[in-house]
Amino acid sequence: MDAPQPATPPAMLAYAQDLDVLGDAAGARVWIERAAASGYAPALTQHGLWLLKGRNVPNDFAQGNAQISLAAQAGDATAAHLMINLHALAGDWDKAVASLVRLAKSGDADAGVALGVLLRPLPRLTPIRRTLYSAAAQTGDAAAQFLLGTDMCTDANETTRKRGIGWIAEAAAHGLELQCCVYRNLRGRK
């Protein structure tokens, strides 16, 4: 008796991934294509990646890019981040930055942090950078807390510097060794 076949796009995607792990490239291809054909965004993303890499399917950069683009338009955050990278790799920085801004505006903390990092060498954009870091830091993102804290510690205003140390302490509370080390050094300078 044959095993039951996956009936929903998420089950099809999971089955395709299982077959991939088991080395059944032909089976993985069938199920990833079925899942992607349904329009299920995570399947479109996975299928697009496989097309870009030539994994279990023939290598097709244009089709892989199109699949990932569809997934990003459907709201898949992984696909949106991949599109930013694909734009950057193609040398289309305007599209890459516009996509990053759009993603940050949608509330994606990682996109906000990435934008903040890109703005770091531009002192006149410090308020924007701190706003981006702050939005992500307030969600509990330790990297954003660290970046906001270290950025604030360079401020001429003593109150701002103290708030920066507070953000670094918050990041250190997450047990991240680098943040803890920096925090201890800053506390030692008080």
Side-chain angles (χ1 to χ4, degrees):
M1 181 180 235
D2 289 331
Q5 302 293 307
T8 65
M12 290 176 198
L13 173 59
Y15 192 54
Q17 291 169 326
D18 289 346
L19 292 172
D20 175 47
V21 169
L22 294 172
D24 182 355
R29 178 180 181 179
V30 167
W31 288 103
I32 194 69
E33 288 177 351
R34 286 183 188 174
S38 76
Y40 180 53
L44 288 166
T45 302
Q46 186 69 56
H47 189 227
L49 280 170
W50 284 6
L51 287 162
L52 291 176
K53 295 178 181 178
R55 182 180 185 102
N56 301 322
V57 296
N59 181 265
D60 186 336
F61 185 82
Q63 186 60 31
N65 197 345
Q67 295 277 301
I68 293 169
S69 180
L70 285 173
Q73 291 168 22
D76 186 75
T78 300
H81 283 276
L82 287 168
M83 285 307 303
I84 291 165
N85 289 322
L86 289 170
H87 292 316
L89 286 170
D92 194 340
W93 291 102
D94 290 341
K95 276 188 182 177
V97 171
S99 296
L100 191 57
V101 168
R102 213 173 17 260
L103 197 56
K105 283 183 177 180
S106 76
D108 186 290
D110 291 335
V113 170
L115 268 177
V117 169
L118 287 174
L119 298 176
R120 198 162 184 110
L122 305 170
R124 65 181 163 66
L125 298 177
T126 296
I128 295 169
R129 181 178 62 248
R130 288 187 184 163
T131 298
L132 292 165
Y133 288 160
S134 180
Q138 291 174 27
T139 69
D141 184 305
Q145 292 167 343
F146 174 74
L147 289 167
L148 177 60
T150 56
D151 197 55
M152 292 174 82
C153 284
T154 64
D155 202 279
N157 181 292
E158 180 66 23
T159 303
T160 301
R161 285 196 306 273
K162 285 181 180 179
R163 287 186 14 234
I165 292 171
W167 278 114
I168 292 171
E170 188 71 27
H174 286 93
L176 300 173
E177 191 175 322
L178 175 61
Q179 283 85 340
C180 289
C181 179
V182 170
Y183 178 63
R184 282 192 298 269
N185 286 336
L186 287 173
R187 278 185 48 199
R189 280 194 242 159
K190 279 185 174 181

